[in-house]
Amino acid sequence: MPTNGEPRRAITLGGGGPAAGLHIGVLDALANANPPITFDVWSLSCIGAWVGVVYNQSDKRTAAEKVEDTYRFFRDGVFRDDEGYERFPINTVFGPDWRSTIDAFYEFVADPKSYKDFQLQPYKMFDYVQQSMSILNDFMPRGMRRAKKLDEGDLNRWILNQVMAPNPAIRYLTSLMYLSKFNGLSRINYPDSEFMRKIRFDRLSEDGKPFIFHNAWNLDTQKLAFFANHRIERPKNGEYKGPITAQSLCACSALPFVEETVEIDGTTYCEGALVDTVNFEGLLELEVRGQKIDEVWISRIVDSQQIRKPENLHDALANLCQLFAASVGEDDVKLFKYHVKYDRRNGDASKAKNSTKNSKAAKAEAQKSKAAQAEDSNGHRANGDNSVWNGTVVEIHVPGHINFKWNHSNLDNGRRLGRDSAKQAIKTYHEKKNTSHPGEPLFINENPAQDPEWQQIRQRYHELKKALA
């Protein structure tokens, strides 16, 4: 932690998969700011955890070099070239688990119970025929030679229930697809693979490294789990489960319906970002070397404005994941700001109100609450205050001019966009950071819509989006 008067900063990097370029661009701008903006705590989730871990394990000397190292890792190891992605729209690491797939297929076809539906069921078949005739009869009005046109919805329902459902072969294939142990998910949890060995996790615990942690969701205990390069003592809204490893990094990005869950020491984990974006609540309670955080910088790379009309299955699956991520991320930021601005103060006020009016106890409690909101000249929390956080929150906004493709052009476009957006936030930060805010947190760049530079960013990328289309 800094001892030279600089504020103690934390950065939060949220999830967003193919929007990883935005995080890289943000780190690019922070590294090249004058002076560079550095962080003492990194709170991470999903793709933000990958970016943060890859950046901090780099052995390069300067922050700018670490950014380039991170960019090359994702460009060469995760994202696919545009020409290849055009007809194979999958990144380079989301591979199917062939061994588990083959085992699941063999187990299903070798089980005699899987064939019980092949037995003929004459009475049920006769019922299906009667139901089909009844449907046709309903659409054949009396006294008319021509039948009414069958509605498309009725036709689809008839095919599903009277044609496909009773067919033994279709029933077998459907049960193979949905009821076997084959889950159809991708898997990247191969700790000894060449790809994972490119990340030197041991470097995260070297001297001089900031405090780094990411979350994951414990499916067994239904609790948020944290993995960090240093032990977290008594995390507020979860449990500390150990150091950051290849397995924990894969666990924190194991998005349901996309990537397989990860088992660590007999416990199963999936992505934690859909429960708590980047552990906002616990971040303010975090103490590193006896000091608490003065500034929180938020890099939320998924926004509901990025959702597009789906033109194919690729777009539909991307929307399925990203729309939920965008909603949770936006709501978490709003709740976080509300929490630091109102919740704790209202709690203190209600305590004082419930005390006996005009009593010595009430006066003492009021004095205590007032003293708790005292701050130093920089607007930081006063020593000994455990109830009110008077720090600064800096938001880095991104307009919705990226897509969810794992190709090089989207990575590069995201990096440019993230860099420009962070530069605008940094400029606003230097203009507003000394604003007096006694007893209250300071929110910087909360709504950049009025900023002319932000309008230029939006216009520039709107033109780029049209050109790419």
Side-chain angles (χ1 to χ4, degrees):
M1 283 293 198
T3 57
N4 58 354
E6 281 290 308
R8 299 174 287 274
R9 297 191 183 101
I11 187 170
T12 65
L13 303 182
L22 293 171
H23 279 326
I24 297 173
V26 166
L27 296 180
D28 193 355
L30 294 168
N32 288 285
N34 187 22
I37 296 177
T38 59
F39 297 92
D40 310 290
V41 176
W42 293 62
S43 180
L44 314 169
S45 69
C46 194
I47 197 67
W50 285 80
V51 173
V53 167
V54 171
Y55 175 90
N56 282 289
Q57 62 85 49
S58 173
D59 60 354
K60 302 301 181 183
R61 187 175 59 87
T62 67
E65 290 175 326
K66 291 177 184 291
V67 171
E68 291 302 321
D69 217 17
T70 306
Y71 169 73
R72 285 193 297 270
F73 173 88
F74 283 93
R75 189 181 192 280
D76 300 337
V78 179
F79 284 72
R80 196 177 296 276
D81 65 275
D82 289 19
E83 184 179 357
Y85 194 85
E86 186 68 25
R87 291 300 172 187
F88 196 75
I90 304 172
N91 66 31
T92 64
V93 295
F94 277 7
D97 186 352
W98 292 111
R99 181 184 294 274
S100 296
T101 299
I102 293 171
D103 290 342
F105 177 81
Y106 177 77
E107 181 179 340
F108 187 86
V109 299
D111 186 356
K113 295 180 181 178
S114 302
Y115 301 92
K116 64 180 182 179
D117 283 340
F118 271 103
Q119 299 174 356
L120 292 178
Q121 298 174 316
Y123 291 106
K124 283 191 176 182
M125 294 177 66
F126 186 70
D127 290 340
Y128 291 132
V129 172
Q130 281 188 319
Q131 292 171 10
S132 299
M133 293 177 65
S134 175
I135 292 173
L136 293 174
N137 185 60
D138 291 341
F139 284 87
M140 185 71 73
R142 294 179 182 178
M144 295 181 63
R145 292 184 179 180
R146 295 182 61 185
K148 289 192 298 185
K149 184 178 179 181
L150 198 65
D151 182 78
E152 184 179 356
D154 295 318
L155 178 62
N156 291 340
R157 196 159 178 261
W158 174 72
I159 292 174
L160 175 67
N161 297 307
Q162 274 72 46
V163 177
M164 297 177 64
N167 187 305
I170 294 178
R171 290 170 65 87
Y172 178 78
L173 293 175
T174 303
S175 59
L176 171 62
M177 182 186 302
Y178 286 99
L179 302 179
S180 70
K181 293 183 179 179
F182 165 65
N183 56 28
L185 303 180
S186 61
R187 177 182 175 185
I188 61 174
N189 180 30
Y190 300 101
D192 297 323
S193 66
E194 181 182 359
F195 170 71
M196 293 302 301
R197 283 191 283 110
K198 290 179 181 178
I199 305 176
R200 293 288 304 275
F201 292 93
D202 56 307
R203 291 176 180 166
L204 299 177
S205 57
E206 293 175 349
D207 291 340
K209 294 292 183 180
F211 184 77
I212 308 163
F213 70 100
H214 70 73
N215 63 18
W217 182 250
N218 187 329
L219 287 167
D220 295 329
T221 64
Q222 299 293 300
K223 291 182 179 179
L224 207 61
F226 300 110
F227 300 85
N229 61 343
H230 298 292
R231 182 177 179 84
I232 303 177
E233 298 293 340
R234 301 180 300 280
K236 180 174 182 179
N237 59 333
E239 50 189 359
Y240 172 73
K241 299 302 290 186
I244 299 174
T245 64
Q247 288 179 306
S248 76
L249 192 58
C250 293
C252 87
S253 61
L255 181 66
F257 308 115
V258 175
E259 188 182 325
E260 282 188 6
T261 56
V262 176
E263 185 174 305
I264 303 175
D265 297 331
T267 303
T268 304
Y269 299 91
C270 70
E271 179 176 328
L274 294 183
V275 178
D276 190 330
T277 305
V278 277
N279 185 39
F280 280 129
E281 183 181 2
L283 193 61
L284 299 185
E285 305 299 327
L286 189 66
E287 287 193 22
V288 182
R289 304 183 187 94
Q291 300 184 66
K292 292 194 175 184
I293 296 164
D294 301 317
E295 292 182 3
V296 177
W297 290 61
I298 300 173
S299 177
R300 179 179 57 81
I301 60 175
V302 185
D303 192 279
S304 56
Q305 295 181 11
Q306 298 164 352
I307 308 302
R308 305 285 183 265
K309 294 180 181 179
E311 297 181 358
N312 46 47
L313 184 59
H314 172 277
D315 296 346
L317 290 175
N319 283 351
L320 172 67
C321 305
Q322 304 297 1
L323 186 55
F324 282 107
S327 301
V328 172
E330 291 172 15
D331 290 344
D332 272 2
V333 173
K334 292 176 183 177
L335 288 170
F336 168 64
K337 293 191 295 184
Y338 181 91
H339 177 71
V340 298
K341 188 172 183 178
Y342 297 112
D343 272 9
R344 299 181 180 187
R345 288 165 179 77
N346 289 344
D348 291 340
S350 63
K351 289 179 183 178
K353 186 176 181 180
N354 291 332
S355 299
T356 305
K357 292 182 179 180
N358 300 321
S359 67
K360 292 183 179 180
K363 291 180 180 179
E365 189 167 359
Q367 290 292 332
K368 181 180 179 181
S369 178
K370 184 176 180 180
Q373 297 183 19
E375 57 178 17
D376 61 23
S377 58
N378 293 322
H380 302 151
R381 184 207 314 238
N383 291 333
D385 173 25
N386 293 317
S387 61
V388 178
W389 188 76
N390 299 321
T392 300
V393 177
V394 184
E395 294 185 64
I396 301 173
H397 295 267
V398 290
H401 298 107
I402 64 161
N403 53 48
F404 298 124
K405 295 181 179 180
W406 293 93
N407 58 0
H408 287 168
S409 63
N410 191 46
L411 176 67
D412 294 338
N413 185 28
R415 182 180 180 181
R416 290 193 295 269
L417 175 57
R419 181 171 55 236
D420 288 349
S421 301
K423 284 181 178 178
Q424 180 269 332
I426 293 169
K427 178 179 75 71
T428 306
Y429 167 74
H430 286 302
E431 294 172 352
K432 306 289 186 181
K433 66 178 182 179
N434 293 323
T435 302
S436 177
H437 52 104
E440 294 287 340
L442 174 63
F443 299 110
I444 294 179
N445 206 39
E446 187 174 16
N447 181 15
Q450 309 295 330
D451 191 326
E453 185 173 339
W454 178 254
Q455 296 297 335
Q456 292 176 7
I457 293 173
R458 290 183 60 87
Q459 180 62 29
R460 184 160 63 249
Y461 280 93
H462 181 68
E463 294 170 356
L464 176 61
K465 176 189 171 186
K466 287 179 19 179
L468 291 174

